[in-house]
Amino acid sequence: NAGVTQTPKFRILKIGQSMTLQCAQDMNHNYMYWYRQDPGMGLKLIYYSVGAGITDKGEVPNGYNVSRSTTEDFPLRLELAAPSQTSVYFCASVGDPSYNEQFFGPGTRLTVL
Amino acid sequence: AQRVTQPEKLLSVFKGAPVELKCNYSYSGSPELFWYVQYSRQRLQLLLRHISRESIKGFTADLNKGETSFHLKKPFAQEEDSAMYYCALQAGNMLTFGGGTRLMVKP
């Protein structure tokens, strides 16, 4: 199992550009999450999904969109990138919600200039 | 809204010394608390859950509801314990993280 994979590893965007951060998991987990981590700070939840076709906002959803058409994939879309979106983005998944262990991807480092 | 506070950004100890990483939380419901760890060049991973009441790699953490704390402790630190440690609180489907503490264990 590859676990949770994220692409790309690094990306530099110009202000106003758009991009999609990819996240996939091969563990058949229903729950998936997107976090951002700013320097020296903890992770903040952007969006999450409890299953295919179901998504919900987290703590900091503005400027982002998600979709969940399959159990495996949970892409995060940035429209009109802004410097405030410079961050490291982590995707995570949970298999057993009663146990609640989150399995994390390696992260995507995004810089908006 | 829930909140998790880790007051120390950096904790530096010598090998063999005791370690305590502090975590305080605020939450109106019954908390479910975790410690996650990120070793250098590795992914963030679960270290322990308060519900399991287990010891992992010599670390333990006790939930103190009166003091709203969930401090992580180890009696004798090892160099391989050097990492970033995050305390986290689960409320519904959402996990709220503290800002993290970097533990450095010096030889």
Side-chain angles (χ1 to χ4, degrees):
Chain A
N1 282 356
V4 179
T5 58
Q6 291 184 238
T7 56
K9 285 188 169 56
F10 305 95
R11 183 73 185 266
I12 297 175
L13 283 182
K14 294 183 179 177
I15 294 171
Q17 286 186 319
S18 300
M19 78 163 293
T20 299
L21 281 68
Q22 301 291 345
C23 174
Q25 50 88 14
D26 60 0
M27 298 175 283
N28 202 33
H29 287 176
N30 282 321
Y31 290 65
M32 295 186 75
Y33 303 81
W34 273 107
Y35 296 91
R36 60 177 286 172
Q37 184 177 31
D38 298 331
M41 307 290 285
L43 283 73
K44 291 189 187 297
L45 183 64
I46 306 171
Y47 271 95
Y48 67 97
S49 168
V50 300
I54 306 169
T55 61
D56 210 344
K57 295 178 180 178
E59 187 182 356
V60 290
N62 291 345
Y64 306 94
N65 278 300
V66 292
S67 59
R68 186 92 183 272
S69 57
T70 67
T71 299
E72 295 76 20
D73 300 296
F74 190 39
L76 178 73
R77 178 83 178 160
L78 279 73
E79 306 282 0
L80 299 175
S84 60
Q85 293 177 304
T86 294
S87 193
V88 180
Y89 291 84
F90 291 98
C91 180
S93 70
V94 168
D96 180 357
S98 67
Y99 191 74
N100 265 327
E101 177 177 2
Q102 298 215 358
F103 292 86
F104 282 85
T108 294
R109 186 175 295 276
L110 176 67
T111 302
V112 182
L113 301 174
Chain B
Q2 59 269 22
R3 185 180 176 89
V4 178
T5 303
Q6 294 179 248
E8 303 138 329
K9 285 199 182 296
L10 174 65
L11 185 62
S12 182
V13 301
F14 285 102
K15 177 182 171 183
V19 169
E20 182 179 52
L21 289 84
K22 291 185 168 48
C23 172
N24 292 94
Y25 67 91
S26 63
Y27 180 53
S28 56
S30 184
E32 186 176 354
L33 287 149
F34 303 80
W35 277 98
Y36 278 80
V37 60
Q38 188 169 27
Y39 301 103
S40 178
R41 287 186 285 277
Q42 293 189 28
R43 302 183 184 198
L44 193 60
Q45 59 187 284
L46 179 66
L47 180 62
L48 55 79
R49 316 161 63 219
H50 93 268
I51 286 178
S52 302
R53 301 184 66 81
E54 57 204 341
S55 173
I56 303 291
K57 298 185 179 183
F59 285 98
T60 58
D62 290 319
L63 177 60
N64 186 323
K65 291 187 178 181
E67 295 182 359
T68 60
S69 68
F70 187 54
H71 303 329
L72 184 67
K73 299 177 184 179
K74 184 170 183 176
F76 307 104
Q78 304 298 313
E79 289 181 69
E80 56 266 29
D81 296 329
S82 296
M84 279 294 298
Y85 291 80
Y86 296 93
C87 182
L89 183 151
Q90 184 87 31
N93 290 321
M94 294 176 56
L95 195 62
T96 299
F97 284 85
T101 298
R102 179 171 296 282
L103 175 64
M104 291 179 56
V105 182
K106 298 176 285 189

